[in-house]
Each structure stands twice: as C-alpha cells, then as structure tokens.
C-alpha cells in the first residue's frame, strides 16, 4: 500500500501532501511509490522542461483514467482521446473544419457579442449604485465562457429562457447556475488524483468520492443538451 495510508490520514489534497513531503526532504525531484507504481514528481521548472524534451514520447498522449472516461462518456470526444487512429481522424477533422481560420472568423461576431454583454454588465453594475459595489468577476467570467459556447452552438444566451435582468445583467435562473457550476465541477475533478487509478480493485468503493461527484455533475451539466439541440 506504500504511501496511501499517509495520504488518507492527512486528509489534505494529494498535491499539498506531496509538496509538503518534498519541502521536508528539501528536494525538487522525488520518487513516490503508489501501489505498484513509481511516480516521479518534479517541482523544478528546469527539470520539468528537461523531462518534456527527453521523454517527449511519454508525454505526447493523454492517459486513460476514471475521471476522463466519465466526463467524456467513454472517450466519445476528441479532447480526451489517447493517441491512436481515432485521435488522428478527429484531429484532421477538427483542424480542417471546427478550428479552421474560416470557422474562427465566421463565429467572431458571436464572441464579440458576448464580450460586449460582459463589459455592459460590469459597467451597469458599477454605475447602478451610488456606493461602491463588489462584483464577483470570477462568477461573471464563468458565465461568459458558458455564454460564448451557448451562443456559437445554439444562438442563445445563458442556459434558460430569460436573457437579461436588472441593469442589463444576466438573469440567472437556478437551473442555469446549477449547470454552469456542474461544468466547472467536472473541470475541477478532471485528471484529479484518485486512489483507484493505482489500486484498481478499490474502484468499486470510491474511497475519495470522486466518481460519485463526477457522475452527479455530469447529469446536471448535460441534462439540457438534448432539449436545446
């Protein structure tokens, strides 16, 4: 079981435990045994660049893991596919159609429209009250990201029926906010450390709770896709 008992007892995010361990050891490179795997951890930018140059073939493909499998619904999207024939086909299609210069220019007005909405919302919030007001830019930019994709694909703003609210800002329904939060929850747990990745026989127990969280967030994030489509 190697280092797993220490990780579980500390009850901290794995990366914090690893960084703390390396600080105590006063080293920028360490080998940590996780189950039957030996994980090389590097905190030095210079060493990291050297690893990427000399071990390029190892880092050129995405690894298969539980979180990516669940988020991509069984690797149906090209973003998470490991290198292979399917990945090469999807890469050619994305390069010639989805991410081509013509497509980029074709949808520019959609991105500009959402950028204008974002600036208008922040400006109106600032000017609407005599006293200084605190604007949660993190939340606003999250909705901007969701709105850009929504507008480019479905020609709609936000994720519900109402488009604007008071002061020209978005009128966020509970369902809208829930979906955006679910999307960023998926991003937060994507490729996160999971014990079951190193001890597959523990996958059924979901000791860290990641599988349950990802499944719940995936249902919330995708429940409106069929309806909008």
């Amino acid at each position: 079981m190697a280092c797993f008992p220490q990780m579980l007892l500390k009850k901290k995010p794995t990366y914090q435990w690893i960084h703390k361990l390396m600080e105590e050891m006063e080293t920028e490179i360490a080998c940590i045994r996780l189950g039957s795997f030996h994980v090389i951890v590097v905190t030095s930018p210079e060493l990291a660049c050297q690893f990427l140059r000399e071990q390029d073939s190892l880092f050129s493909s995405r690894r298969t893991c539980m979180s990516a499998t669940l988020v991509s619904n069984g690797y149906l999207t090209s973003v998470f596919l490991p290198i292979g024939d399917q990945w090469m086909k999807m890469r050619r299609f994305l390069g010639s159609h989805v991410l081509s210069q013509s497509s980029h220019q074709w949808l520019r007005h959609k991105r500009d429209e959402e950028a204008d909405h974002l600036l208008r919302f922040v400006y109106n919030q600032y000017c609407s009250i005599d006293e200084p007001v605190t604007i949660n830019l993190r939340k606003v930019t999250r909705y901007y990201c969701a709105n850009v994709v929504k507008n480019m694909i479905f020609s709609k703003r936000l994720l519900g029926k109402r488009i604007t609210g008071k002061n020209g800002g978005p009128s966020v329904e509970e369902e809208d906010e829930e979906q955006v939060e679910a999307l960023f929850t998926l991003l937060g747990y994507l490729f996160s450390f999971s014990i079951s990745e190193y001890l597959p026989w523990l996958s059924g127990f979901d000791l860290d709770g990641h599988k349950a969280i990802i499944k719940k967030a995936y249902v919330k994030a995708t429940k409106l896709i069929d309806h909008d489509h």
Side-chain angles (χ1 to χ4, degrees), residues 66 70-71 186 206 209-222:
M66 177 270 296
L70 294 176
V71 171
L186 292 177
D206 193 21
H210 290 187
K211 183 182 292 186
I213 294 173
I214 292 174
K215 285 184 175 181
K216 183 178 180 180
Y218 182 83
V219 171
K220 292 180 179 179
T222 59

Side-chain angles (χ1 to χ4, degrees), residues 65-104:
C65 63
M66 177 270 296
S67 59
T69 302
L70 294 176
V71 171
S72 63
N73 195 18
Y75 292 98
L76 296 180
T77 60
S78 58
V79 177
F80 305 106
L81 276 175
I83 286 182
D85 293 339
Q86 180 65 16
W87 180 83
M88 294 297 293
K89 293 177 183 177
M90 296 298 293
R91 181 186 179 185
R92 286 195 294 269
F93 177 81
L94 289 173
S96 60
H97 293 78
V98 181
L99 301 178
S100 64
Q101 185 175 359
S102 59
S103 297
H104 182 75

Side-chain angles (χ1 to χ4, degrees), residues 107 121 176 202 212:
L107 296 171
F121 170 70
D176 301 331
L202 288 176

Side-chain angles (χ1 to χ4, degrees), residues 170-185:
S171 177
V172 181
E173 300 172 358
E174 290 184 3
E175 197 172 57
D176 301 331
E177 187 168 1
E178 183 182 71
Q179 189 174 22
V180 174
E181 290 298 326
L183 288 171
F184 281 91
T185 298

